[in-house]
């Protein structure tokens, strides 16, 4: 888990559930921070935020905090796997937050072996804002891997089971191209739509362990869906939404430099465009972008800590690249978007294919065609069709802005049966 004081979709979802729980019962929240470096905790945070490096294994975490319930992500992440394995022996209820990305056990992960190798030797992890040291990500992987093994030893798991399960974990993370395995220790999965429920059941999750609550993250966007025509001003305001492809090991530093340099040069040549940039809140370095833009003699606003939700109403058109999660958010808000796919399967993102057919999203496979694609997008007034509205209803269950409230009700109902 990253620092809960930083804005991130994962922490936002957990916080909204907790916020609604606090309306019903007294809640004390403890966050476990899991980062490569020791985390500095202020005196007034000492009973609510804990650094993973303060513990030898997950069993020590359970003994120290004595939780009544544990919230985790759906995946079999090494640290969360360790914590839930220790908690399971203590019969502590384990609940998975609603996932932003659907889980489909029949799909392959897009990460190639080359990308996984590059990730392993990466000088930073996704939450770093800049490079920190040789093989930082690989070293952190081994730290988490050993933490899991130490946890299994502490709970006196059979030696041969430890060896077998550890090799299996290593295979799935380092070699396999299958999607991450769902954590089998989870007692209740909060899910966003019925299709997600079907896919969880394919994996073997019992229907009784699933609760449909809706999409907490996208609930916020209902207020800014623009039903009126997309009127344009003379000076077209464009927001570029970056993607941390380099930070996640998909791009080399040269690939990032070449792509962004060409992108900024093309847009800077058009005087009628007013350009701004939104970069990832935790994974990317604002200093890098400042230096890059300075080398191009460009000075544009760069947003990092600001929410995309706050920025969307202020722009006429958005440029994204790769299979960014922002595509679904922009499709949901019915905004003009130019996407440069970079050979990534953007149509697999919820609502994106329908938004393409409606004209909200236009693909631009080559940067040389970017200006033509932008002008083409600005000439039309896209409107939602029946397929788009049906798919939005399908993917975003009961879109009434009350998903977090339903999630907290589901948690209360579940805990009443287990205590």
């Amino acid at each position: 888990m990253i620092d809960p004081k930083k804005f991130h979709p994962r922490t936002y979802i957990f916080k909204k559930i907790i916020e609604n729980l606090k309306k019903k019962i007294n809640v004390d929240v403890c966050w476990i921070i899991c980062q490569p470096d020791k985390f500095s905790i202020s005196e007034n945070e000492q009973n609510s935020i804990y650094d993973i490096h303060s513990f030898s294994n997950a069993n020590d975490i359970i003994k120290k905090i004595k939780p009544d319930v544990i919230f985790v992500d759906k995946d079999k992440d090494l640290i969360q796997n360790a914590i839930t394995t220790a908690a399971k022996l203590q019969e502590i209820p384990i609940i998975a937050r609603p996932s932003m990305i659907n889980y489909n056990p029949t799909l392959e992960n897009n990460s190639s072996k080359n990308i996984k190798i590059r990730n392993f030797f990466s000088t930073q992890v996704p939450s770093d804002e800049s490079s920190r040291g040789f093989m930082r990500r690989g070293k952190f992987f081994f730290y988490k891997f050993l933490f899991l093994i130490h946890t299994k030893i502490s709970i006196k798991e059979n030696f041969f089971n430890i060896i077998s399960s550890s090799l299996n974990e290593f295979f799935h993370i380092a070699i396999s191209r299958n999607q991450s395995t769902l954590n089998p220790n989870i007692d209740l999965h909060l899910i966003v739509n019925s299709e997600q429920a079907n896919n969880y059941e394919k994996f073997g999750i019992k229907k009784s362990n699933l609760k449909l609550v809706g999409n907490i993250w996208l609930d916020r966007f209902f207020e800014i869906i623009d039903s009126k025509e997309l009127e344009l001003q003379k000076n077209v305001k464009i927001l570029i939404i970056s993607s941390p492809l380099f930070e996640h090991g998909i791009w080399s530093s040269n690939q990032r430099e070449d792509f962004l340099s060409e992108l900024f040069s093309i847009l800077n040549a058009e005087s009628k465009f007013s350009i701004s940039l939104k970069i990832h809140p935790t994974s990317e370095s604002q200093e890098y972008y400042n230096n890059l833009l300075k080398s191009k003699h460009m000075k544009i606003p760069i947003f990092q800590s600001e929410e995309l939700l706050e920025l969307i109403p202020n722009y006429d058109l958005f440029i994204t690249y790769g299979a960014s999660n922002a595509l679904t958010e922009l499709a949901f808000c019915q905004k003009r978007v130019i996407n440069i796919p970079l050979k990534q399967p953007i149509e697999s993102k919820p609502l994106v294919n329908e938004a393409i057919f409606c004209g909200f999203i236009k693909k631009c496979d080559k940067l040389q065609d970017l200006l033509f694609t932008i002008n083409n997008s600005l000439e039309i007034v896209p409107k939602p069709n029946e397929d788009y509205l049906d798919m939005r209803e399908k993917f975003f269950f009961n879109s009434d802005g009350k998903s977090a409230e339903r999630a907290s009700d589901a948690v209360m109902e579940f805990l009443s049966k287990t205590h």
Side-chain angles (χ1 to χ4, degrees):
M1 178 63 72
I2 62 172
D3 182 355
K5 297 189 293 296
K6 291 185 176 181
F7 183 82
H8 189 278
R10 187 185 304 169
T11 54
Y12 174 85
I13 291 169
F14 281 128
K15 285 179 177 179
K16 290 301 289 185
I17 296 173
I18 293 164
E19 177 186 307
N20 279 270
L21 280 173
K22 285 183 175 180
K23 296 175 182 177
K24 303 173 176 67
I25 55 172
N26 291 324
V27 178
D28 292 322
V29 182
C30 297
W31 299 85
I32 305 296
I33 306 299
C34 181
Q35 294 295 311
D37 302 317
K38 289 184 179 180
F39 187 79
S40 178
I41 299 171
S42 64
E43 188 174 338
N44 63 344
E45 295 173 331
Q46 288 182 356
N47 292 323
S48 60
I49 297 179
Y50 294 86
D51 177 23
I52 193 72
H53 296 279
S54 302
F55 303 95
S56 301
N57 57 71
N59 208 28
D60 289 346
I61 295 176
I62 301 300
K63 289 177 181 177
K64 171 72 175 178
I65 298 176
K66 297 180 177 63
D68 297 308
V69 61
I70 294 175
F71 284 90
V72 294
D73 297 323
K74 71 182 189 321
D75 303 305
K76 206 175 179 183
D77 165 85
L78 290 170
I79 295 294
Q80 295 191 47
N81 185 16
I83 293 172
T84 56
T85 297
K88 203 72 176 173
L89 289 181
Q90 304 282 340
E91 298 184 344
I92 299 170
I94 302 162
I95 300 173
R97 68 171 175 89
S99 173
M100 289 178 62
I101 301 173
N102 199 4
Y103 175 81
N104 191 333
T106 64
L107 293 181
E108 285 191 339
N109 191 308
N110 291 321
S111 296
S112 68
K113 290 181 181 178
N114 288 338
I115 289 173
K116 289 191 173 187
I117 292 171
R118 188 187 298 157
N119 275 340
F120 189 81
F121 288 95
S122 174
T123 59
Q124 63 189 91
V125 298
S127 56
D128 288 337
E129 293 184 358
S130 59
S131 297
R132 299 290 182 86
F134 174 70
M135 218 173 78
R136 178 172 168 82
R137 195 162 182 173
K139 290 175 183 176
F140 189 40
F141 166 78
F142 278 121
Y143 169 80
K144 293 187 289 184
F145 194 69
L146 289 172
F147 189 90
L148 175 61
I149 291 175
H150 289 155
T151 297
K152 293 187 175 189
I153 292 172
S154 74
I155 62 176
K156 298 180 171 56
E157 187 173 310
N158 178 279
F159 174 77
F160 293 104
N161 284 346
I162 293 175
I163 298 299
S164 174
S165 62
S166 297
L167 288 174
N168 186 51
E169 292 282 353
F170 186 85
F171 170 80
H172 273 287
I173 294 171
I175 301 172
S176 173
R177 291 194 65 192
N178 292 330
Q179 285 207 7
S180 300
T181 308
L182 291 175
N183 189 334
N185 296 320
I186 293 168
D187 299 302
L188 178 67
H189 287 272
L190 303 175
I191 54 176
V192 299
N193 57 51
S194 56
E195 182 171 339
Q196 192 175 69
N198 294 335
N199 287 335
Y200 277 43
E201 288 180 54
K202 287 178 189 175
F203 183 75
I205 305 297
K206 294 179 182 178
K207 196 171 185 177
S208 57
N209 296 121
L210 303 173
K211 188 66 177 182
L212 187 59
V213 299
N215 196 311
I216 295 172
W217 177 248
L218 285 180
D219 271 355
R220 313 167 309 143
F221 289 84
F222 267 96
E223 297 176 5
I224 60 171
I225 292 177
D226 198 348
S227 58
K228 66 179 184 295
E229 290 191 356
L230 301 176
E231 298 176 359
L232 296 171
Q233 303 299 321
K234 187 176 181 180
N235 194 32
V236 178
K237 298 183 71 175
I238 296 177
L239 181 67
I240 303 169
I241 302 172
S242 68
S243 183
L245 299 177
F246 166 73
E247 290 75 11
H248 287 280
I250 297 170
W251 268 351
S252 67
S253 58
N254 286 338
Q255 285 176 306
R256 174 178 65 167
E257 189 86 12
D258 292 345
F259 175 85
L260 292 174
S261 294
E262 187 176 359
L263 174 64
F264 288 129
S265 295
I266 289 171
L267 293 173
N268 194 40
E270 183 56 68
S271 60
K272 72 174 182 179
F273 296 157
S274 175
I275 305 164
S276 300
L277 174 65
K278 171 72 175 81
I279 66 175
H280 195 278
T282 57
S283 296
E284 293 188 283
S285 165
Q286 188 164 344
E287 182 182 1
Y288 166 80
Y289 283 98
N290 280 329
N291 291 334
L292 177 63
L293 290 167
K294 186 177 180 180
S295 72
K296 300 293 175 188
H297 306 290
M298 292 178 65
K299 189 174 182 180
I300 64 173
I302 300 178
F303 303 104
Q304 182 165 30
S305 60
E306 294 82 357
E307 288 190 57
L308 179 58
L309 175 68
E310 300 170 1
L311 302 174
I312 285 176
N314 302 325
Y315 291 88
D316 304 305
L317 184 137
F318 301 82
I319 294 177
T320 67
Y321 50 91
S324 166
N325 287 332
L327 280 169
T328 292
E329 297 167 10
L330 294 167
F332 188 80
C333 296
Q334 301 174 18
K335 298 299 180 182
R336 287 186 178 91
V337 181
I338 307 299
N339 175 262
I340 304 153
L342 303 174
K343 298 181 180 179
Q344 294 189 3
I346 67 167
E347 289 86 351
S348 64
K349 295 289 182 182
L351 203 61
V352 167
N353 205 37
E354 289 70 27
I356 290 173
F357 277 101
C358 288
F360 290 113
I361 296 177
K362 288 190 174 293
K363 292 199 295 182
C364 177
D365 293 315
K366 297 178 181 179
L367 275 175
Q368 301 94 306
D369 299 328
L370 182 59
L371 292 181
F372 172 82
T373 310
I374 291 174
N375 289 323
N376 181 259
S377 176
L378 297 175
E379 287 172 359
I380 66 169
V381 180
K383 293 181 180 180
N385 59 22
E386 189 173 336
D387 288 341
Y388 168 93
L389 295 172
D390 288 345
M391 188 59 68
R392 193 177 75 185
E393 187 64 29
K394 175 184 176 182
F395 271 107
F396 308 110
F397 164 76
N398 207 350
S399 303
D400 54 5
K402 297 182 179 180
S403 298
E405 184 179 332
R406 280 190 292 274
S408 67
D409 289 341
V411 170
M412 291 290 293
E413 181 184 358
F414 175 74
L415 292 179
S416 69
K417 294 176 181 178
T418 57
H419 283 78

